[in-house]
Amino acid sequence: MIEPDFILLQNIQDTFNTFLQNIRIVDLLDIIIISSFLYIVLNWLRQSASRRNLFSFLVILIVYVIARFTGMYLTELLIEGLFVIILIGIIVVFQSDMRRIIDRISNWRFFDISQPDSTDISSSIITEAVAKMADQRTGALIVLKGREDWDRHVHGGIELDGKITIPLLRSLFNTSAPGHDGAVLSDGQRILKFGVHLPLSTNLYKLSRGGTRHTAALGLSEKCDALVIVVSEERGTISIAQNGRIRQLESHSDLKKHLDDFWAEYYQSNTTSYKQWGESRSLKTALAAGSLAFILWLSFAYSSETVYRTYAVPIEYSNLESTPYALQDTVPLEARLTLSGSEQAFRTFEPSDLVISFDLASEEVEDLELDIDSDNINLPAGLQFFEASPPALQLKKQFFVPADVPVKVPVTGTIAEHLQFQSVVPSPETITVLVDTASASIDSVLTEPVDLSQIEEQTVQQKMLQLQGDSFRLPEQTSPNISVTVNVRKIQS
């Protein structure tokens, strides 16, 4: 008695083998591309302000998938009809988020240029300057650049390009200094501009407390990956905004830690960045994106069921004249082939490329039949031969004997009035032909006709012999071309 566990294990193994046979390199590339896209989308969803709006579209997508797999044709038809409207709605609702995704893709760097490790110096200077301004309740707004471009999100400001120092930072936010209400832009080592206007966030529910500075900090963090430091003028608190979130820090040391983490992610070497990427949520997001892409591919693209399809395929014969066989009169010029395989294999299959080919010089003919099988068909990868109709082609045995017969040249057309046709002479005048003993005898062999209307003088032309049917053939290495001399003379007026 066969154990149930063994049967289950065998079924799993068969399914896995079928999967390996059907999957192609392009399928793997398909999954990788979708995984990359989903990785970007999942990262965006973690920080997007539009997650609630996206939920509505996800519900519609889930309903569509359920309708498709359960056969609710009316629901499926309705959603497909509204697809264009839904697509326009997604573009309108998520246009700012889509723009940021495109910006993030354009800022991908496959070979990062390592930046000088200024973590201890710059982060310490900024931390100390911000701490002093917080103690003195001096409002401040400092922006540190990430990888994404911020030029179209910030406006105004005064160019500075000065090295970061504590006195410079404090002087820029002095209430008597011009532009103290604006933001300072920094690349981590130098102050690029001050007095800059940042975009204001519309998601005020994220701001438990705070004024315009906090709203501006949150607004820029929703547009790009910059880190924004805010010092409250009223409460003397320190907050940071990043990736569409803002939160108040408990102490100055918390700011130093966030700055160090920011430097490690955006300004240190590749090795450190990759290590942190592997240890961060990015690795989990990548695994989730890959798993989701694989599930979607299994649900919509992969089909483990075997599909059978029938095609009318032409039949080619080569080297037939070098064998003692001939095709019977009832042999078809095409056959109907049934192929089996996966839906993926048929999807890239071009039926017009399919042909049944017999090389009779190398075929082992038994019982005067040519069997149609996979050896005679140019099958593409992933498809198998199932059956053919007819399954075999009938041949007939022939016995040929040589016979010397005259060559005749037919003529057509009318010769010109100033010429008189005399004769047409083939060379050679007789030729050896192999004649099937089972067929009627042959008394002559014709060439292609000579058109007299094209003759202007005595000429020699090459004409091909016309051997009709398979009862007559030329011996091997015999040329089918004949030289024909057309003799004419001019009529004297």
Side-chain angles (χ1 to χ4, degrees):
M1 180 177 181
I2 301 176
E3 295 292 336
D5 293 341
F6 176 78
I7 297 177
L8 177 61
L9 183 62
Q10 185 65 37
N11 291 337
I12 294 175
Q13 183 178 355
D14 293 342
T15 302
F16 182 72
N17 291 336
T18 303
F19 173 78
L20 292 181
Q21 292 174 359
N22 292 334
I23 194 169
R24 304 163 299 163
I25 296 179
V26 291
D27 294 327
L28 297 177
L29 182 60
D30 191 14
I31 295 174
I32 291 174
I33 293 175
I34 298 301
S35 298
S36 302
F37 174 76
L38 290 176
Y39 175 77
I40 297 173
V41 172
L42 291 177
N43 268 328
W44 159 60
L45 287 177
R46 291 192 328 191
Q47 59 197 39
S48 173
S50 306
R51 279 180 291 182
R52 296 181 179 179
N53 296 325
L54 184 67
F55 180 75
S56 303
F57 297 106
L58 289 178
V59 170
I60 296 176
L61 177 61
I62 293 173
V63 171
Y64 174 76
V65 172
I66 295 175
R68 180 175 179 178
F69 281 97
T70 57
M72 294 188 291
Y73 301 110
L74 184 59
T75 303
E76 180 182 354
L77 184 64
L78 176 62
I79 297 178
E80 287 179 351
L82 296 175
F83 177 76
V84 176
I85 299 175
I86 295 173
L87 182 61
I88 295 175
I90 292 175
I91 294 175
V92 172
V93 173
F94 302 111
Q95 56 179 327
S96 60
D97 299 290
M98 290 180 177
R99 181 182 299 172
R100 185 173 180 188
I101 289 177
I102 295 173
D103 286 343
R104 179 164 293 184
I105 295 175
S106 64
N107 282 281
W108 277 359
R109 291 178 291 183
F110 295 98
F111 300 99
D112 290 341
I113 300 175
S114 298
Q115 301 289 339
D117 190 2
S118 57
T119 305
D120 294 337
I121 302 175
S122 299
S123 63
S124 298
I125 292 174
I126 295 175
T127 300
E128 186 175 348
V130 169
K132 289 183 178 181
M133 287 187 288
D135 293 339
Q136 297 176 1
R137 299 203 174 187
T138 301
L141 192 57
I142 303 173
V143 183
L144 299 177
K145 184 176 177 60
R147 293 193 183 93
E148 298 176 7
D149 184 35
W150 60 14
D151 289 339
R152 78 163 173 269
H153 306 306
V154 299
H155 304 284
I158 303 170
E159 298 284 346
L160 179 58
D161 192 23
K163 185 177 180 181
I164 296 179
T165 62
I166 295 175
L168 180 58
L169 284 173
R170 295 186 62 185
S171 64
L172 291 175
F173 291 108
N174 190 295
T175 55
S176 60
H180 70 278
D181 286 329
V184 164
L185 304 185
S186 172
D187 62 359
Q189 295 183 0
R190 303 184 69 81
I191 296 177
L192 307 177
K193 299 174 72 174
F194 69 95
V196 179
H197 299 288
L198 305 183
L200 299 179
S201 174
T202 57
N203 301 296
L204 301 181
Y205 64 91
K206 294 184 178 181
L207 299 168
S208 57
R209 299 177 66 183
T212 305
R213 283 193 180 92
H214 294 77
T215 308
L218 180 61
L220 183 63
S221 71
E222 293 172 345
K223 303 294 183 181
C224 64
D225 61 349
L227 175 67
V228 188
I229 305 170
V230 189
V231 179
S232 173
E233 186 175 357
E234 297 179 355
R235 304 186 307 277
T237 57
I238 302 173
S239 303
I240 60 168
Q242 189 179 18
N243 295 328
R245 298 177 182 177
I246 186 170
R247 65 190 188 92
Q248 183 176 313
L249 302 181
E250 297 295 334
S251 63
H252 304 161
S253 60
D254 288 346
L255 175 61
K256 179 69 164 60
K257 181 180 182 303
H258 280 91
L259 289 176
D260 290 343
D261 292 342
F262 186 78
W263 252 267
E265 181 177 357
Y266 291 96
Y267 292 98
Q268 287 185 349
S269 64
N270 295 342
T271 303
T272 304
S273 298
Y274 293 148
K275 181 179 179 181
Q276 291 175 346
W277 181 87
E279 294 174 351
S280 66
R281 287 188 299 175
S282 297
L283 178 59
K284 297 179 181 178
T285 305
L287 292 175
S291 302
L292 182 58
F294 183 70
I295 293 173
L296 290 175
W297 181 81
L298 285 178
S299 302
F300 292 96
Y302 175 73
S303 175
S304 59
E305 298 179 355
T306 301
V307 179
Y308 296 88
R309 292 180 182 173
T310 303
Y311 303 94
V313 181
I315 305 174
E316 294 180 353
Y317 308 93
S318 59
N319 297 317
L320 180 62
E321 67 280 356
S322 62
T323 66
Y325 296 98
L327 299 175
Q328 291 189 1
D329 297 336
T330 57
V331 171
L333 298 179
E334 68 176 22
R336 296 188 64 79
L337 291 184
T338 300
L339 306 181
S340 64
S342 65
E343 183 65 36
Q344 291 88 341
F346 279 108
R347 197 172 297 162
T348 57
F349 169 59
E350 182 56 51
S352 60
D353 296 335
L354 197 62
V355 64
I356 303 171
S357 179
F358 291 100
D359 184 358
L360 295 180
S362 59
E363 288 284 343
E364 295 182 0
V365 182
E366 297 180 0
D367 300 328
L368 300 181
E369 284 188 349
L370 292 176
D371 294 325
I372 299 178
D373 52 33
S374 58
D375 295 334
N376 309 114
I377 308 169
N378 58 331
L379 288 174
L383 294 181
Q384 293 80 38
F385 168 76
F386 182 69
E387 65 179 6
S389 177
L393 306 175
Q394 301 296 323
L395 301 178
K396 60 182 179 180
K397 192 76 172 181
Q398 291 180 309
F399 297 95
F400 293 92
V401 295
D404 293 332
V405 293
V407 177
K408 293 185 178 181
V409 183
V411 295
T412 61
T414 303
I415 199 166
E417 294 180 354
H418 66 282
L419 296 176
Q420 180 180 5
F421 172 70
Q422 291 183 313
S423 64
V424 55
V425 181
S427 179
E429 295 184 358
T430 62
I431 191 170
T432 300
V433 178
L434 298 178
V435 182
D436 184 6
T437 58
S439 65
S441 61
I442 180 172
D443 55 1
S444 64
V445 176
L446 299 179
T447 68
E448 294 175 323
V450 174
D451 187 0
L452 295 179
S453 64
Q454 303 297 322
I455 303 299
E456 295 292 336
E457 58 183 358
Q458 180 174 316
T459 182
V460 178
Q461 298 180 354
Q462 294 293 321
K463 296 297 181 180
M464 183 172 291
L465 294 173
Q466 304 293 300
L467 296 175
Q468 302 295 331
D470 56 4
S471 299
F472 314 100
R473 65 176 59 170
L474 294 175
E476 292 186 20
Q477 300 180 350
T478 299
S479 174
N481 293 321
I482 296 294
S483 296
V484 176
T485 302
V486 182
N487 296 313
V488 298
R489 71 180 183 87
K490 294 184 179 181
I491 300 175
Q492 296 181 354
S493 57

